[in-house]
Amino acid sequence: MLLEITSTASPATDLGYLLHKNPANVRSVDLAFGRAHVFYPEATPERCTAAVLVEVDPIGLVRRGRGRPAFSLAEYVNDRPYVASSFLSTAIAKVYGTALSGRADGYEALAATALPLEAHLPVVGCRGGADLACELFEPLGYQVATTPVPLDRTRPDWGESRYLDLTIRADVVLRDLLRHLYVLLPVMDDDKHYWVERSEIDKLLAKGGGWLGDHPRRDLITQRYLRYKGSLLREALARLTDDDTLPPDEPERREDTLERTMRLGDQRIATVVSVLRADGIRSVIDLGCGAGRLLRELVKERALERITGVDVSVSALDAAARRLNVEEMSPRQRERVTLFQGALTYTDARFEGYDAAILMEVIEHLDVERLPALERTVFGAARPRTVVVTTPNAAYNVRFEGLPTGAFRHRDHRFEWDAETFGAWASRVAGRTGYRVRFMPVGAVDPEVGPPTQMAVFER
Ligand code: SAH
């Protein structure tokens, strides 16, 4: 199988520096399943092409126990040596590992520059055809060209094979091009040459960081990349989107259900933001901010002068800092945004002095016995003008296909309340602490069971 990357930047031979491979040499590297060769079929100042040729050793693969025990010709004679697949991703990571990681000692500026690059893959087996190839690469800014590969070049009457010749072209940072290919090659192929385990999530998030979360085919990419393993999928999607509404313990969730659930997360954020706007809020603290999905939207609100995220989980805060790109913020932006670790069950002076506090999908993560402590912290001590609380509506759970009766939407939920229980809790808290409370639905309201998420807005 072959991958050619061509630069037409001037001078194009800079590609050699970026890939850490000298255009004058041929380099060969051993892989677990064969051998990869890197060479430059063309290297002029106008146009420079680096090729990776991967030889897969099918006999070695079968011997190493990848095949089924009984002899079958298909184990030796198949498309694996020729079609761009996870083998090629593994080869990319091995031969272009430095470029893929974005390290560029001495060439930082060049490595961070979008260059006119083209990647050509002569044989791609895209399940979903040329249309899917376009849907995968076009949202990332590529021009996509595909030609069907004939079944047999000497027998045009035999028609087309199911393989494509694929070229993608864009002004793109080389590291990003490599990351896009690394993730999307096995996605198009819809197979993996190795057993997929939990570490795949980290690979996916490392290589998909910055582009996968907002990709319109995110769910399909994640499903295929993780080989439809429900438990991995849920975790990956949660980490990509920080949506914690995915029902537990369902092995394979259909894409449409997932997408419906995703949109609910967006609606929740939109509803919270609309309340802040309507109340003229200038400073806000997101209590239990998780990985910062709401914070990312809050940062876009010009009216907000001070935005703070709090969580007990350090890893959630790390993820939030990454999502917000804190390190690349201008000093002024950085002054607006603060993240710190804290527990909502202990009174904390750092929670004070904000116009509004948000508890979005947080209360159900606390044991019911701990709620009075949270009430004291938020409504008793911090006492912002506005408090917004969202939580799942338990009555809606019957509408989630595959969620067993009585089960919660998330493993870490300690309770899920129906509208009556939530209403009673909120009214009691408001009455005791001197707030008025009103309720708003989030998501499409079902005539029988109500909205998927319920929201209480406390004001004083
Ligand atoms: N608000 C976010 C995250 C919801 S998940 C969102 O809607 O996307 C619940 C979050 O609450 C988790 O990140 C968890 O770490 C945090 N959390 C749970 N108990 C907490 C406590 N006692 N103090 C602070 N944060 C807590």
Side-chain angles (χ1 to χ4, degrees):
M1 69 189 77
L2 183 68
L3 162 67
E4 292 172 313
I5 296 179
T6 299
S7 167
T8 49
S10 80
T13 40
D14 276 352
L15 188 61
Y17 296 122
L18 292 175
L19 292 172
H20 299 259
K21 298 282 177 290
N22 185 336
N25 298 341
V26 176
R27 276 277 307 278
S28 299
V29 179
D30 281 323
L31 304 166
F33 49 81
R35 232 167 131 63
H37 311 279
V38 185
F39 57 97
Y40 289 74
E42 185 173 3
T44 66
E46 294 75 42
R47 196 178 159 87
C48 180
T49 300
V52 186
L53 176 75
V54 181
E55 291 179 285
V56 175
D57 166 17
I59 296 172
L61 277 185
V62 175
R63 287 221 184 99
R64 255 177 254 116
R66 266 271 310 156
R68 259 131 269 138
F71 176 84
S72 116
L73 196 58
E75 286 174 15
Y76 296 95
V77 183
N78 55 45
D79 69 359
R80 295 296 84 190
Y82 311 103
V83 176
S85 65
S86 58
F87 285 119
L88 189 50
S89 294
T90 305
I92 289 174
K94 182 95 186 212
V95 301
Y96 295 152
T98 311
L100 187 64
S101 74
R103 256 183 301 127
D105 304 332
Y107 303 100
E108 286 83 1
L110 186 61
T113 306
L115 302 172
L117 296 176
E118 181 182 299
H120 175 221
L121 296 145
V123 189
V124 170
C126 186
R127 227 189 104 217
D131 289 346
L132 181 65
C134 291
E135 286 174 36
L136 293 175
F137 286 103
E138 281 175 353
L140 299 168
Y142 293 96
Q143 280 173 4
V144 180
T146 58
T147 330
V149 174
L151 256 185
D152 186 328
R153 286 187 203 280
T154 63
R155 294 296 306 267
D157 52 312
W158 285 8
E160 292 162 359
S161 69
R162 61 191 179 86
Y163 301 108
L164 298 171
D165 178 299
L166 172 72
T167 303
I168 59 171
R169 202 172 288 125
D171 286 339
V172 61
V173 171
L174 177 67
R175 181 201 67 182
D176 293 341
L177 171 66
L178 294 174
R179 289 186 174 179
H180 297 151
L181 292 170
Y182 180 92
V183 171
L184 295 178
L185 293 178
V187 166
M188 286 194 288
D189 187 47
D190 203 12
D191 194 9
K192 280 245 166 115
H193 69 274
Y194 50 86
W195 180 248
V196 167
E197 52 191 357
R198 220 161 151 267
S199 58
E200 286 298 282
I201 300 178
D202 296 322
K203 285 194 213 162
L204 179 65
L205 295 181
K207 309 293 192 296
W211 62 273
L212 182 53
D214 298 323
H215 195 292
R217 300 312 303 267
R218 175 189 65 208
D219 294 353
L220 172 132
I221 295 169
T222 312
Q223 273 173 323
R224 286 191 177 188
Y225 194 90
L226 298 173
R227 307 305 309 134
Y228 306 92
K229 290 204 175 157
S231 57
L232 299 184
L233 255 176
R234 271 194 307 279
E235 181 177 341
L237 287 172
R239 285 169 64 185
L240 272 169
T241 64
D242 307 307
D243 194 310
D244 76 333
T245 57
L246 300 179
D249 301 329
E250 199 211 339
E252 265 148 54
R253 296 180 45 69
R254 289 208 330 275
E255 207 183 326
D256 58 349
T257 323
L258 275 173
E259 280 177 354
R260 237 183 17 231
T261 322
M262 293 305 156
R263 282 202 291 272
L264 177 58
D266 293 337
Q267 286 169 356
R268 203 184 286 128
I269 290 175
T271 314
V272 170
V273 169
S274 71
V275 168
L276 300 182
R277 284 187 193 153
D279 277 9
I281 299 297
R282 312 294 287 269
S283 58
V284 60
I285 183 161
D286 184 6
L287 299 170
C289 63
R293 195 155 169 230
L294 173 63
L295 292 172
R296 186 174 62 179
E297 299 307 312
L298 295 179
V299 168
K300 296 179 192 161
E301 292 294 302
R302 291 260 177 89
L304 294 175
E305 291 158 5
R306 213 149 52 89
I307 302 160
T308 297
V310 179
D311 207 286
V312 265
S313 154
V314 175
S315 62
L317 290 169
D318 282 346
R322 276 199 304 277
R323 155 158 297 149
L324 295 172
N325 243 329
V326 172
E327 301 204 336
E328 283 162 35
M329 277 183 180
S330 67
R332 250 189 64 210
Q333 284 290 355
R334 213 183 288 196
E335 235 165 70
R336 259 175 98 212
V337 181
T338 311
L339 297 174
F340 67 84
Q341 192 195 11
L344 305 177
T345 41
Y346 296 93
T347 299
D348 190 328
R350 294 175 299 173
F351 301 160
E352 290 168 24
Y354 292 88
D355 291 346
I358 315 293
L359 289 155
M360 187 169 91
E361 306 297 283
V362 171
I363 58 169
E364 66 276 9
H365 289 263
L366 272 74
D367 291 324
V368 173
E369 308 83 72
R370 305 291 289 150
L371 281 183
L374 171 135
E375 295 160 21
R376 274 194 301 279
T377 307
V378 179
F379 297 90
R383 288 190 75 70
R385 213 170 79 212
T386 302
V387 181
V388 179
V389 178
T390 80
T391 194
N393 168 20
Y396 193 89
N397 287 356
V398 296
R399 293 289 179 264
F400 286 117
E401 279 165 54
L403 184 65
T405 313
F408 293 150
R409 296 183 196 179
H410 191 280
R411 239 176 266 113
D412 191 45
H413 285 181
R414 309 304 159 84
F415 60 84
E416 286 179 359
W417 284 341
D418 58 21
E420 212 186 332
T421 317
F422 181 53
W425 172 80
S427 304
R428 212 174 46 242
V429 171
R432 237 186 3 238
T433 56
Y435 281 80
R436 290 182 310 278
V437 63
R438 59 196 165 91
F439 297 93
M440 290 169 74
V442 179
V445 179
D446 181 288
E448 281 162 33
V449 295
T453 299
Q454 38 190 349
M455 175 186 273
V457 181
F458 299 81
E459 281 147 328
R460 68 172 178 86

